[in-house]
Amino acid sequence: MTFPGGTIDVSRKVFIHHFCPLILRSLFTVIFFSVMGSACPKSCHCSERNGLTVVQCSTRNLEEIPPDLPHDTVSLLLSSNHITKIPNQAFKNLPWLQELDLSRNAIDTVDAGAFQGVTESLRALDLSHNHMQSVPKEAFARLHAKISLSNNPWHCECTLQEVLRELRLDPETVNEVSCHTSVQEEYAGKPVIQVLDSGINFCNFHHKTTDVAMFVTMFGWFTMVIAYVIYYVRHNQEDARRHLEYLKSLPSSSQISKDFDTISTVL
């Protein structure tokens, strides 16, 4: 094809107009994620593993999970800090995260959506040596990671039983997941798995407790109704007795008639 000033190859023109923008966008994406991946939190140390980032934040006196973590983090080590809570979507911008160590903190609260965004990628999760007594059932939903929950002051009841049933617990520490307290006091201090394997069902205790509470409430209402009826009857009996005595104290109609005749005779 001929134009004033020279000849332009059609295929070259198509390449420039259609493929160059795609190449530039791809290059921009690579550069963007490279920059994101290289941004390491000030309180942490970052290193490279197979082209991805390992973030070492252990023993840094952190009180919360750093918000500015590299996008390409594959391993996040946050052990031995003072973190107390895992909030919703705390790791949502870490699609490559495989290892998460939050052991030896002071975590007592795990929000229901704490691990949203990493449920598919996460392979190892360590929450041992914290202050957790219970967690919502939704918190670990769809997690495929091997999880360590040992050395927490767990309260053994129905919700914890349902949570553990769905998890892949670390076999090396599973016997260290113990009941600190329990709906049945005789199980306090015993490994949760050992108690459950013996045939104990904490959800049955939950239902029985609920039934007893309902029975006590109904009995209380019934007692109040009976007491009110007795009071009402006695109160009305007393009023009726006083009214009857009043009527007896009134002169009879025959007496009134005799008195009237006497007055008439005198007049």
Side-chain angles (χ1 to χ4, degrees):
M1 186 177 293
T2 304
F3 291 89
T7 302
I8 300 177
D9 183 77
V10 175
S11 60
R12 185 177 178 184
K13 184 178 180 181
V14 170
F15 176 82
I16 292 173
H17 283 280
H18 293 279
F19 291 99
C20 280
L22 293 176
I23 294 173
L24 289 174
R25 278 198 295 268
S26 299
L27 184 60
F28 174 79
T29 301
V30 171
I31 294 173
F32 173 77
F33 285 123
S34 296
V35 171
M36 290 291 291
S38 62
C40 189
K42 294 180 180 179
S43 57
C44 305
H45 171 74
C46 295
S47 58
E48 185 268 341
R49 180 199 295 173
N50 298 327
L52 298 173
T53 303
V54 175
V55 183
Q56 171 59 263
C57 303
S58 298
T59 320
R60 303 299 171 99
N61 294 319
L62 300 177
E63 296 183 356
E64 61 181 16
I65 298 169
D68 53 345
L69 294 164
H71 182 80
D72 65 345
T73 299
V74 66
S75 178
L76 177 57
L77 309 177
L78 289 162
S79 63
S80 301
N81 283 293
H82 307 296
I83 299 170
T84 59
K85 179 180 180 179
I86 307 178
N88 285 320
Q89 299 183 338
F91 314 101
K92 65 177 182 179
N93 295 321
L94 306 177
W96 305 104
L97 187 63
Q98 296 182 13
E99 179 186 8
L100 176 58
D101 186 357
L102 283 159
S103 63
R104 301 184 184 279
N105 276 277
I107 298 170
D108 57 17
T109 303
V110 180
D111 286 348
F115 301 103
Q116 287 182 1
V118 296
T119 54
E120 297 297 328
S121 62
L122 200 60
R123 293 293 174 264
L125 172 61
D126 193 346
L127 288 168
S128 62
H129 296 274
N130 277 286
H131 299 167
M132 295 183 295
Q133 296 182 354
S134 63
V135 290
K137 290 186 291 186
E138 301 82 5
F140 298 126
R142 296 182 296 279
L143 268 180
H144 305 297
K146 180 175 66 175
I147 303 176
S148 177
L149 298 173
S150 61
N151 295 290
N152 279 279
W154 294 111
H155 176 63
C156 289
E157 40 75 46
C158 184
T159 301
L160 181 63
Q161 174 179 314
E162 293 179 345
V163 168
L164 296 181
R165 183 182 299 159
E166 304 297 326
L167 298 183
R168 187 164 70 92
L169 294 175
D170 179 10
E172 296 182 3
T173 61
V174 66
N175 289 324
E176 297 173 16
V177 182
S178 300
C179 301
H180 183 71
T181 56
S182 174
V183 289
Q184 293 292 103
E185 292 184 3
E186 65 260 36
Y187 302 119
K190 295 183 178 180
V192 181
I193 299 302
Q194 179 182 319
V195 173
L196 297 179
D197 285 347
S198 68
I200 299 302
N201 188 338
F202 290 118
C203 294
N204 285 343
F205 295 130
H206 173 75
H207 295 319
K208 288 179 181 178
T209 303
T210 303
D211 292 342
V212 170
M214 291 180 62
F215 175 77
V216 170
T217 302
M218 292 177 64
F219 181 78
W221 279 105
F222 181 74
T223 303
M224 290 176 62
V225 171
I226 295 299
Y228 176 78
V229 170
I230 293 174
Y231 168 80
Y232 180 80
V233 170
R234 288 182 176 177
H235 183 74
N236 284 349
Q237 284 180 340
E238 185 67 19
D239 286 348
R241 186 183 62 78
R242 283 198 290 265
H243 186 65
L244 183 60
E245 290 178 353
Y246 171 75
L247 292 177
K248 287 181 179 180
S249 67
L250 295 175
S252 63
S253 58
S254 58
Q255 182 65 38
I256 294 174
S257 179
K258 288 179 181 181
D259 293 343
F260 183 76
D261 291 342
T262 303
I263 294 171
S264 298
T265 302
V266 172
L267 293 176

